[in-house]
């Protein structure tokens, strides 16, 4: 579905003209679909427990690049930050630097961080700096902007846990415990961004989605199949699909299948929006490659779906006299 993952705010002249409308998300049919999405995610993870890892053995050769993934992911992030700074945006192609306080300074910091990530030199400090600067700057525009940019912060979190090494072209042999935490930070960041966008641009803002569909009718993939769905039905399907992708990324289950399916709409929108879509989604492409490769390596596939377990506090035994 081509329109599912197109970032609508990037291509509308005045996104602020479309205020949120939660009545669409609160409709019984919408709530039923959202419940179905959650059920599918739970079922997906349950099935993954019964399937061996990697689930697609034919893709195991991709796992050979896992030592170099921190370096590759840093390059994706760096190019994106540098391109955004050059075009006058901060962390997202719909948030102009001029809307933020100390815009000139933030632009310099963003561009410098982009160059730093590309160099691959001592990136833990750069990652921590981005994790700190991003939320502070985005706090001026409200929590939604911060949540929509969580994919970049998730990558920064990954690199804070697992930065490239200083030798062998940045190759890293990761400790399993560190890798699990790094992948969890990555998954949480990307999932947060996708889930937020599912609501902020579709399910809780149908007017924006209708405007995007009106300006770009070629996004309606169902029309190519001879199916002419009402706009609101299409918006519901698109929002639910984006939400599903976010939850599947968060679950980490069967990452090979999940990333291959998600890659279809991400790449399809390039045919419509071109370079802006490519630059905007460049970090996500890096994330998909990261999850796909770690999920294809038998040594790390289990780590992709790791979730921390909540431990119950031990009951204190009363002291005896």
């Amino acid at each position: 579905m081509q329109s599912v993952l197109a970032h609508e705010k990037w291509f509308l002249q005045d996104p602020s003209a479309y205020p949120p409308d939660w009545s669409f998300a609160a409709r019984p049919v919408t709530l039923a679909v959202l419940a179905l999405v959650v059920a599918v995610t739970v079922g997906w993870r349950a099935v993954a427990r019964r399937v061996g890892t990697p689930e697609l053995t034919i893709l195991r050769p991709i796992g050979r690049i896992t030592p170099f993934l921190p370096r590759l992911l840093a390059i994706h992030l760096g190019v994106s930050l540098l391109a955004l700074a050059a075009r006058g945006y901060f962390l997202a192609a719909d948030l102009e630097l001029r809307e933020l306080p100390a815009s000139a300074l933030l632009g310099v910091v963003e561009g410098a961080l982009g160059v730093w990530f590309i160099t691959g030199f001592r990136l833990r400090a750069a990652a921590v700096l981005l994790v700190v600067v991003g939320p502070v700057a985005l706090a001026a525009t409200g929590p939604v902007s911060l949540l929509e940019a969580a994919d970049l912060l998730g990558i920064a979190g990954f690199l804070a846990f697992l930065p490239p090494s200083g030798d062998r072209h940045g190759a890293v042999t990761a400790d399993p415990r560190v890798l699990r935490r790094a992948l969890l930070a990555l998954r949480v960041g990307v999932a947060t961004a996708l889930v937020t966008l599912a609501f902020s641009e579709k399910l809780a803002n149908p007017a924006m989605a209708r405007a995007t569909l009106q300006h770009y009718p070629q996004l309606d993939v169902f029309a190519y199949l001879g199916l002419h769905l009402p706009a609101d039905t299409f918006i519901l399907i698109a929002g639910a699909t984006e939400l599903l992708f976010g939850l599947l990324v968060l679950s980490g289950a069967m990452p090979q299948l999940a990333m291959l399916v998600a890659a279809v709409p991400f790449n399809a929108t390039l045919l419509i929006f071109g370079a802006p879509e490519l630059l905007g989604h460049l970090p996500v492409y890096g994330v998909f490659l990261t999850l796909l490769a770690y999920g294809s390596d038998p040594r790390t596939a289990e780590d992709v779906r790791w979730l921390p377990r909540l431990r119950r506090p031990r009951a204190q035994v009363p002291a005896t006299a």
Side-chain angles (χ1 to χ4, degrees), residues 21-32 34 199 202-206 236:
D21 177 13
W22 283 92
S23 63
F24 186 90
R27 299 183 311 165
V29 63
T30 304
L31 295 177
L34 297 184
F199 284 93
K202 297 175 180 69
L203 299 176
N205 201 330
L236 176 58

Side-chain angles (χ1 to χ4, degrees), residues 239-308:
T241 304
E242 190 163 22
L243 176 63
L244 177 61
F245 285 160
L247 294 180
L248 290 181
V249 168
L250 181 61
S251 79
M254 293 190 286
Q256 292 174 301
L257 282 173
M259 295 307 101
L260 290 176
V261 172
V264 174
F266 266 96
N267 287 297
T269 51
L270 295 177
L271 301 175
I272 300 173
F273 298 114
E277 185 83 342
L278 175 62
L279 289 173
H281 282 157
L282 191 60
V284 180
Y285 295 142
V287 171
F288 283 3
L289 175 61
T290 299
L291 296 179
L292 175 64
Y294 279 120
S296 299
D297 188 338
R299 298 168 298 179
T300 60
E302 287 287 343
D303 298 324
V304 178
R305 68 182 183 186
W306 176 79
L307 289 174

Side-chain angles (χ1 to χ4, degrees), residues 159-182:
L159 294 173
F161 280 109
L162 196 64
S165 67
D167 57 357
R168 292 197 305 138
H169 307 288
V172 177
T173 302
D175 178 273
R177 292 173 297 180
V178 175
L179 178 60
R180 289 170 190 163
R181 295 185 177 93

